[in-house]
């Protein structure tokens, strides 16, 4: 019986994803409450907190993945959920920026369990089920992407600390459920001793890349993440500049996108693979993503954009199929390491893309900009998506995709 374990794993991903966005609605008020400084200084600290969170996820995702290969998925997942709950408690009582910073550091480490969750899902799935189950994980991320900002904004009505108490309680409840329903999936047959060299994100990548055909596909995954990270980085600035959307409207648009992504990856991945096969599903997703990015680069109607948002979610159909292909190329005792590498690539994209995308946005949207093109960051991402498609086609040509 795998339904309850699958639910716990998906909920773990939801909670991890919520950790990224939960803090955003309350961050300005929280920092000003703690520091007594103005909004400009609060924004500087806000950038530091978000960057630190992404950096910690990048550094520690392979470590937790490798640790789960050695010590088991169950203890890593349960301990991480408890630490996440404690971190939210720290943020709920923090009276200094240094305590908030420490909480964000430990939160980034503990939330780097996407890899372990994906490895657990791989362990309990038959080969033909893996892509669809990875789609469920993607759906969980989409749900967390919606619930994080919405949860934070709604509960902020009861004070800046209320969202953290509620999120901490949710993490503890999921840990309690996991304690009773999650069985250990790492057996002696696939157990792999822990190595600090493999726990290093670069060393883990090197181990995976030596497997024939893995490196090109990991390159495609990285380009995909760098391209699509433009959405959370630019969306509120772009829609505010182009269409004058209010925070409520921006939140509603993000909710529509998150629901679309969740429906796509939770319900449409498996039938698409049955019809098109893994290769076809990947190519369809990449092409839809490219089309969406180009449209966003030039769109001038906010109403039209709202109608097109489901297309952005539908484009997410390719990544689970690509992850499924990559997972089947890797031995069972390296699934945690593989998922750790993939999570690190996504985290690295969340470090790189916001820095570049915001600079491009500023260059093409300030008063007197020539040309005036606030959608320019999406066009840069579209160019990267073209590179991803080329890299994927080359992998197919070399017969590295089974």
């Amino acid at each position: 019986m795998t339904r309850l374990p699958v639910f716990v794993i998906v909920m773990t991903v939801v909670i991890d994803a919520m950790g990224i966005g939960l803090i955003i609605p309350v961050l300005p008020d929280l920092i000003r409450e703690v520091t007594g400084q103005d909004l400009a200084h609060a924004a500087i600290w806000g950038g530091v907190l978000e960057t630190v969170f992404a950096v910690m996820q990048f550094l520690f995702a392979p470590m937790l993945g490798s640790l789960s290969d050695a010590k088991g998925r169950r203890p890593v997942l349960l301990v991480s959920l408890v630490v996440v709950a404690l971190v939210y408690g720290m943020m709920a009582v923090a009276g200094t920026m240094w305590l908030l910073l420490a909480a964000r550091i430990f939160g980034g480490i503990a939330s780097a369990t996407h890899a372990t969750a994906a490895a657990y899902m791989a362990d309990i799935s038959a080969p033909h089920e893996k892509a669809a189950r990875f789609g469920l994980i993607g759906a969980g991320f989409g749900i967390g992407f919606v619930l994080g900002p919405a949860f934070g904004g709604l509960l902020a009505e009861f004070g800046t600390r209320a969202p953290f108490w509620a999120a901490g309680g949710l993490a503890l409840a999921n840990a309690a459920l996991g304690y009773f329903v999650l069985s250990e999936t790492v057996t002696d047959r696939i157990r792999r001793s822990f190595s600090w060299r493999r726990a290093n994100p670069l060393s883990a990548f090197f181990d995976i890349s030596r497997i024939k055909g893995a490196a090109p596909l990991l390159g495609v995954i990285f380009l995909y993440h760098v391209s699509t990270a433009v959405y959370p980085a630019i969306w509120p600035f772009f829609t505010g500049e182009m269409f004058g959307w209010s925070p409520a409207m921006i939140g509603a648009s993000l909710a529509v996108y998150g629901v679309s992504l969740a429906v796509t990856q939770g319900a449409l991945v498996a039938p698409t693979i049955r019809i098109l096969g893994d290769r076809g599903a990947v190519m369809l997703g990449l092409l839809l993503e490219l089309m969406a990015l180009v449209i966003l680069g030039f769109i001038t109607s906010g109403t039209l954009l709202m109608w097109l948002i489901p297309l952005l979610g539908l484009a997410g159909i390719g990544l689970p199929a690509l992850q499924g292909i990559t997972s089947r190329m890797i031995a069972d005792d390296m699934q945690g390491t593989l998922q750790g590498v993939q999570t690190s690539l996504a985290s690295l994209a969340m470090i790189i893309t916001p820095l570049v995308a915001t600079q491009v946005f500023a260059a093409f949207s300030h008063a007197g900009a020539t040309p005036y093109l606030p959608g320019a960051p999406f066009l840069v991402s579209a160019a990267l998506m073209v590179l991803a498609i080329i890299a994927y086609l080359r992998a197919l040509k070399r017969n590295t995709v089974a």
Side-chain angles (χ1 to χ4, degrees):
M1 174 120 176
T2 60
R3 288 185 178 180
L4 278 177
V6 167
F7 173 79
V8 171
I9 295 302
V10 172
M11 278 302 301
T12 300
V13 175
V14 169
I15 292 170
D16 288 349
M18 284 178 60
I20 300 172
L22 178 76
I23 193 174
I24 293 175
V26 300
L27 191 58
D29 290 341
L30 177 63
I31 295 176
R32 284 186 291 179
E33 178 184 307
V34 170
T35 65
Q37 296 178 328
D38 60 18
L39 187 60
H41 287 88
I44 295 173
W45 272 112
V48 171
L49 293 179
E50 290 303 310
T51 299
V52 160
F53 187 88
V55 168
M56 291 300 104
Q57 287 201 320
F58 167 70
L59 293 177
F60 283 89
M63 179 180 294
L64 293 184
S66 294
L67 191 63
S68 77
D69 284 338
K71 303 299 182 181
R73 321 283 188 219
R74 186 175 183 272
V76 171
L77 289 170
L78 295 182
V79 170
S80 295
L81 282 167
V82 172
V83 173
V84 165
L86 294 175
V87 163
Y88 281 131
M90 287 176 61
M91 299 190 75
V93 301
T96 67
M97 280 308 306
W98 299 113
L99 189 55
L100 279 177
L101 183 61
R104 207 58 179 160
I105 290 172
F106 288 115
I109 296 172
S111 296
T113 52
H114 190 109
T116 307
Y120 191 100
M121 197 71 90
D123 291 342
I124 63 175
S125 304
H128 67 278
E129 295 177 324
K130 286 186 176 182
R133 292 280 176 85
F134 287 138
L136 290 177
I137 289 181
F141 185 86
I143 292 170
F145 180 80
V146 174
L147 291 182
F151 203 43
L154 181 64
L155 291 177
E157 296 295 323
F158 301 97
T160 56
R161 312 304 178 113
F164 305 118
W165 289 120
L170 182 62
L172 276 181
N174 197 47
L177 179 60
Y179 179 83
F180 291 105
V181 306
L182 291 182
S183 58
E184 184 54 63
T185 61
V186 176
T187 63
D188 291 338
R189 182 182 67 84
I190 65 172
R191 192 178 305 277
R192 197 176 190 219
S193 60
F194 180 80
S195 166
W196 283 105
R197 187 183 64 82
R198 288 195 301 269
N200 180 302
L202 298 180
S203 296
F205 181 85
F206 178 72
D207 280 348
I208 297 296
S209 67
R210 287 187 299 175
I211 298 173
K212 184 180 180 181
L217 295 182
L218 288 174
V220 175
I221 290 172
F222 178 64
L223 287 171
Y224 179 92
H225 284 309
V226 172
S227 297
T228 56
V230 72
Y231 295 127
I234 291 299
W235 193 261
F237 305 102
F238 169 73
T239 54
E241 174 68 20
M242 283 293 294
F243 315 121
W245 283 4
S246 66
M249 188 67 174
I250 293 171
S253 67
L254 289 174
V256 172
Y257 171 74
V259 170
S260 300
L261 183 64
V263 170
T264 295
Q265 298 197 337
L268 300 182
V269 170
T272 301
I273 291 175
R274 282 198 300 270
I275 296 170
L276 300 178
D278 287 310
R279 295 182 180 187
V282 173
M283 183 56 66
L284 175 63
L286 294 177
L287 290 174
L288 287 174
E289 203 73 68
L290 174 61
M291 182 170 62
L293 289 167
V294 171
I295 291 173
L296 285 171
F298 296 106
I299 197 168
T300 57
S301 169
T303 302
L304 178 60
L305 177 57
M306 281 298 294
W307 283 103
L308 289 176
I309 285 175
L311 172 65
L312 306 182
L314 186 61
I317 206 164
L319 183 60
L322 184 57
Q323 291 173 322
I325 292 171
T326 310
S327 177
R328 289 195 297 273
M329 299 172 67
I330 303 299
D332 289 342
D333 66 352
M334 292 186 67
Q335 289 295 324
T337 302
L338 170 65
Q339 302 305 329
V341 168
Q342 294 192 43
T343 302
S344 284
L345 292 178
S347 298
L348 185 59
M350 289 301 297
I351 296 170
I352 296 172
T353 300
L355 296 176
V356 176
T358 52
Q359 290 295 321
V360 174
F361 177 81
F364 286 91
S365 62
H366 67 81
T370 305
Y372 175 77
L373 190 62
F378 296 111
L379 298 179
V380 174
S381 287
L384 292 174
M385 191 60 65
V386 170
L387 293 179
I389 292 172
I390 293 172
Y392 181 64
L393 290 174
R394 291 186 66 182
L396 289 178
K397 188 175 181 180
R398 295 174 181 173
N399 294 319
T400 60
V401 179

